[in-house]
Amino acid sequence: MMSLSKTTSLMLASGLATLALLQPAMALDAETFVNRIETVYKVMGYDFSFGPATLDGDTITVDGGTLGIVGLGDEPMKFDTTLTFSGVAETEDGGFTADSLTIPDIDTDFSADPVGHLSLTDIRVENIVLPPEGVTGSAALMQTAGVVATGPLSVTRDGAEVISIDSMDMTSEFTHDAAGALESLVTTTSIAGLWADLSTVKDEEPDAGAMIEALGLTEINGDFNQTMTWSMGDGHLVLEESKLDLADAGAIDFKLDVLGFTPAILDKIYAMQGEGLEATSEEAQAKQMMVGMELLQALSISSASIRYDDASLAGKLLDVFAAQSGTDRAAFVEGLKATLPGIVAQSGIPALTDLVVPPVSAFLDDPQSLEISVKPPQPTSLLVLTAAASNPAGLISAIGLAVTANQ
């Protein structure tokens, strides 16, 4: 019995000693994790300083902190919110992963007069990946989160709702080569159920408020959707869609296809951000100019376009302006079309007249869609196009400028 008792006591003592030794390591792991977040996001221009971090199993809880923007010099914003990282694990190379970050619902006033109140629910970040210490290249940084999403957002002014959103979601899918290096990514972003009450604009901007009421836009409803693909090897970035679609008003969509936007180029941008936004010395300005020239040389444009599809807004604008001019819409449109060649001629670029006047005139007659696009015969660097700008007529041909209506 005595021997068994001693054995039990020794086992208990050993267990307690082991637990005591483990506690500092566990605390260190938690602090190392949040320190890594601070380091990673500082490269991207965000200056985080987290509060105490504690580890419980594979969950790390962070007690508030501060957030500033590198180089601005403003007082950092303090937040008392508890951040909970779940499913945290250390990778073989010394990095970290986490299944998710959850943040308590936000329900707070942000101004006193008028009383501004914001509520935001179901905030989550998923598929978190932090690179090993010392690895701060953009290819690693852009993989730090696979999903960033929220539920409903509501903003009120003196108790009346002025802005609301049903949900926001940004999801990135990453493709890697056999060695584990990032090859490409596809990012989709959506904001669903966007709503805003514009009736209060008249309180501070009477003229703008009167125009909003005349157009029947005291409330707007819509959605925003964006899809982007990006290949790391050649820096081929394609913005397939970036559309804001407002019901009973219209939709505007921006598309872009560029080459040369590689992680190395993004590294240069991050480095410039890290030096501060207030860099005003001659040396700093010269360095920024050099980086700007490198970007212009590296990036080549394949195509770009911006398109507007009308859903009554253009027609309502024509009706309002016609009424203000004391005439009907048909006469007002004919007057606009008559002055349009002269307006375009003021640019001093004769080639623009044939390019712009026919489609814009067609849109004024029957507002359906209007699109401005550029598509060079072959991908052309922005530096070459900048140089070509000294000859506007030549630039139009170089970029393949086109204006189309109702197509």
Side-chain angles (χ1 to χ4, degrees):
M1 287 291 293
M2 186 176 294
S3 176
L4 180 60
S5 176
K6 286 183 177 180
T7 301
T8 303
S9 298
L10 285 172
M11 291 176 63
L12 179 60
S14 298
L16 291 173
T18 301
L19 286 173
L21 290 171
L22 282 174
Q23 291 306 311
M26 292 170 69
L28 177 62
D29 285 344
E31 292 297 335
T32 302
F33 177 78
V34 297
N35 289 342
R36 189 68 50 79
I37 297 174
E38 293 174 359
T39 301
V40 166
Y41 279 88
K42 193 162 190 175
V43 177
M44 293 187 280
Y46 301 98
D47 193 0
F48 279 106
S49 179
F50 291 110
T54 57
L55 179 65
D56 182 9
D58 63 357
T59 298
I60 292 179
T61 304
V62 182
D63 187 13
T66 62
L67 169 61
I69 303 298
V70 174
L72 281 184
D74 293 341
E75 189 73 19
M77 178 184 71
K78 183 178 180 180
F79 56 92
D80 298 322
T81 305
T82 299
L83 309 178
T84 303
F85 295 88
S86 302
V88 180
E90 188 169 359
T91 59
E92 293 181 358
D93 59 3
F96 290 95
T97 61
D99 292 338
S100 65
L101 161 64
T102 55
I103 302 172
D105 293 346
I106 297 172
D107 192 37
T108 183
D109 289 340
F110 60 86
S111 66
D113 186 22
V115 178
H117 188 85
L118 180 146
S119 68
L120 180 61
T121 62
D122 300 332
I123 309 164
R124 59 188 173 87
V125 182
E126 298 177 355
N127 303 332
I128 299 166
V129 179
L130 299 176
E133 184 176 2
V135 178
T136 55
S138 58
L141 301 184
M142 68 180 70
Q143 300 178 75
T144 53
V147 176
V148 179
T150 76
L153 164 74
S154 176
V155 179
T156 62
R157 182 176 187 267
D158 286 337
E161 190 170 50
V162 291
I163 297 173
S164 69
I165 291 171
D166 290 343
S167 64
M168 294 180 282
D169 182 283
M170 184 176 73
T171 300
S172 297
E173 297 180 1
F174 307 100
T175 302
H176 302 86
D177 62 18
L182 180 64
E183 277 191 329
S184 63
L185 67 85
V186 177
T187 300
T188 56
T189 304
S190 66
I191 301 175
L194 173 64
W195 174 89
D197 177 7
L198 303 183
S199 62
T200 59
V201 171
K202 64 179 183 296
D203 297 338
E204 298 185 15
E205 298 288 342
D207 291 342
M211 176 61 73
I212 287 171
E213 290 187 356
L215 294 174
L217 292 178
T218 52
E219 287 188 14
I220 58 172
N221 296 273
D223 301 288
F224 173 78
N225 291 284
Q226 184 182 85
T227 302
M228 181 189 73
T229 62
W230 189 2
S231 172
M232 301 299 109
D234 56 2
H236 189 190
L237 185 149
V238 180
L239 193 62
E240 297 173 0
E241 177 187 51
S242 187
K243 179 186 286 187
L244 175 64
D245 191 351
L246 299 179
D248 301 322
I252 188 164
D253 188 12
F254 176 65
K255 297 181 179 181
L256 179 67
D257 188 330
V258 296
L259 290 166
F261 193 54
T262 62
I265 292 297
L266 191 54
D267 284 337
K268 292 181 182 294
I269 296 173
Y270 283 155
M272 189 166 58
Q273 289 177 336
E275 293 175 358
L277 302 178
E278 294 182 335
T280 55
S281 69
E282 290 186 6
E283 182 180 355
Q285 290 178 350
K287 191 171 183 179
Q288 290 176 354
M289 184 175 296
M290 286 294 293
V291 173
M293 292 292 287
E294 286 185 50
L295 293 177
L296 290 175
Q297 176 64 43
L299 298 180
S300 296
I301 186 167
S302 293
S303 65
S305 67
I306 184 165
R307 176 185 175 95
Y308 172 73
D309 285 281
D310 189 54
S312 80
L313 178 59
K316 289 177 181 177
L317 279 168
L318 291 173
D319 288 337
V320 168
F321 289 139
Q324 291 177 348
S325 301
T327 186
D328 60 26
R329 176 169 160 179
F332 180 74
V333 166
E334 288 304 315
L336 276 180
K337 289 163 60 179
T339 60
L340 188 58
I343 295 173
V344 176
Q346 292 177 9
S347 67
I349 309 173
L352 275 182
T353 300
D354 292 339
L355 193 68
V356 172
V357 172
V360 172
S361 297
F363 179 78
L364 291 171
D365 283 332
D366 181 19
Q368 296 180 40
S369 68
L370 187 65
E371 182 173 352
I372 302 171
S373 63
V374 296
K375 188 174 178 59
Q378 60 186 18
T380 308
S381 77
L382 296 182
L383 185 61
V384 170
L385 295 179
T386 301
S390 59
N391 176 16
L395 178 62
I396 290 174
S397 176
I399 64 176
L401 178 65
V403 182
T404 57
N406 303 340
Q407 292 185 8

